């Protein structure tokens, strides 16, 4: 059956992020300390593909370049036909390109602010490791863990998957209209200014009855246009806290955390890479499906977290507060 040209391009989930780094060895060391590992290398080591513990072939692509640059988040589409339609329908989109040493095809395009975004199809899936299975937790009344001790190691926090990424944009409506016109994205939460102006959107992938992450993509209007952060799911808050201490001991720059978000409910921990791209570990996020209607809430720091440190200076602009460098 031919899909009407007015039907949205069907996204299945997020696949990976793509960045260019002026100092690739330094970026590689950070990403390994952040909990990823290299699975593919090409162009004489100038392009590195990092995987987590989840099913995706890789979750981050780092490419060497003269300057550091954001090259976009990458959505996995359902079918090759979706990818071909995207190439034909989205203004300025590329033709199908080779996606990686693992195979697959890639299409790149730019949003209304000229920010890059990507679609991929045909990547192989990895076997999910048994180390991602949950441990039993003893609560005050229910105590299923009897005679079993929990012992941890000081090590990087293993990344499972890419959960979401966010952009700073010039116009809420242009960005919202673009992504909802071409893709099966739906707003879970929209934040508004005191005058009712829409200023930020938390978008989930509309998979009908299927339960999906509270948001896979978000955007917020800002005087600065560019990436805000990308976020990777981890197993639980214990490995997340151990990973926080690991990054702190390595001397990396913290952004914000550890704390608990309100929208999405995730336990969060934000860090800056050596070239100041913001990345996040998160655990225990909310799920939604098509039974949930879009919520409208007032924007403000008080809507960002229920506990944790105060929102740091520069966080919403994705600009490091130099007073935090080397602290956590």
């Amino acid at each position: 059956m031919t899909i009407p040209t007015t039907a949205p391009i069907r996204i299945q989930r997020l696949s990976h992020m793509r960045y260019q780094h002026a100092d690739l060895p330094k970026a590689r060391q950070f990403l390994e300390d952040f909990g990823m590992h290299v699975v593919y290398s090409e162009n004489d080591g100038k392009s590195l593909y990092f995987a987590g513990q989840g099913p995706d072939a890789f979750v981050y692509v780092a490419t060497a370049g003269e300057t550091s640059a954001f090259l976009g988040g990458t959505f996995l589409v359902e079918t090759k036909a979706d990818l071909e339609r995207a190439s034909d329908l989205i203004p300025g989109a590329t033709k199908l390109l080779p996606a990686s040493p693992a195979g697959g095809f890639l299409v790149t395009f730019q949003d209304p602010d000229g920010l890059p975004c990507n679609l991929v199809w045909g990547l192989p899936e990895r076997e999910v490791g048994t180390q991602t299975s949950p441990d039993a937790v003893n609560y005050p009344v229910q105590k299923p863990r009897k005679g079993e001790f929990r012992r941890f190691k000081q090590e990087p926090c293993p990344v499972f998957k890419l959960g979401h990424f966010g952009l700073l944009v010039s116009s809420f409506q242009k960005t919202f209209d673009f992504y909802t016109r071409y893709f099966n994205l739906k707003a879970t939460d929209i934040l508004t200014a005191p005058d009712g102006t829409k200023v930020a959107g938390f978008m989930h992938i509309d998979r009908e009855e299927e339960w999906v992450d509270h948001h896979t993509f978000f955007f917020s209007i800002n005087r600065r246009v560019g990436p805000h952060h990308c976020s990777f799911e981890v197993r639980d808050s214990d490995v997340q806290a151990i990973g926080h201490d690991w990054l702190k001991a390595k001397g990396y720059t913290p952004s914000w955390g550890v704390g608990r978000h309100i929208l999405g409910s995730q336990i969060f921990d934000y860090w800056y890479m050596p070239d100041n791209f913001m990345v996040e570990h998160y655990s225990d996020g909310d799920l939604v499906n098509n039974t949930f209607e879009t919520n409208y809430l007032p924007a403000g720091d008080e809507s960002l977290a229920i506990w944790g440190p105060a929102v740091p200076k520069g966080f919403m602009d994705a600009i490091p507060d130099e007073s935090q460098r080397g602290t956590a």
Side-chain angles (χ1 to χ4, degrees), residues 231-234 236-238 240-241 256-262 264-270 280-286 307:
S231 183
F232 297 86
E233 185 175 17
V234 304
D236 59 36
S237 57
D238 283 300
Q240 190 173 3
W256 185 33
V258 176
R260 172 76 82 166
H261 277 310
I262 294 175
S265 299
Q266 302 98 327
I267 295 178
F268 62 83
D269 190 24
Y270 296 87
E280 176 193 16
H281 283 143
Y282 81 89
S283 60
D284 191 26
D286 292 336
W307 62 260

Side-chain angles (χ1 to χ4, degrees), residues 95-174:
K95 298 301 181 184
L96 272 63
L97 305 169
S100 74
F105 297 95
L106 181 79
V107 165
T108 69
F109 61 90
Q110 293 184 341
D111 73 5
D113 281 309
L115 297 174
C117 194
N118 315 284
L119 305 171
V120 71
W121 175 85
L123 294 176
E125 292 198 353
R126 296 165 52 86
E127 183 176 348
V128 176
T130 57
Q131 67 270 33
T132 61
S133 301
D135 288 332
V137 175
N138 283 342
Y139 293 103
V141 175
Q142 296 177 330
K143 297 185 183 292
R145 182 166 52 81
K146 297 178 174 68
E148 298 177 9
F149 306 135
R150 299 196 69 182
R151 299 293 182 262
F152 300 92
K153 296 188 299 182
Q154 291 290 339
E155 60 185 354
C157 173
V159 161
F160 180 76
K161 72 170 186 181
L162 171 63
H164 60 265
F165 73 99
L167 302 176
L168 303 174
V169 302
S170 63
S171 166
F172 175 95
Q173 203 61 48
K174 284 184 179 179

Side-chain angles (χ1 to χ4, degrees), residues 188-203:
T188 309
D189 293 304
I190 291 176
L191 303 185
T192 60
D195 64 359
T197 303
K198 298 173 185 176
V199 297
F202 291 76
M203 315 292 291

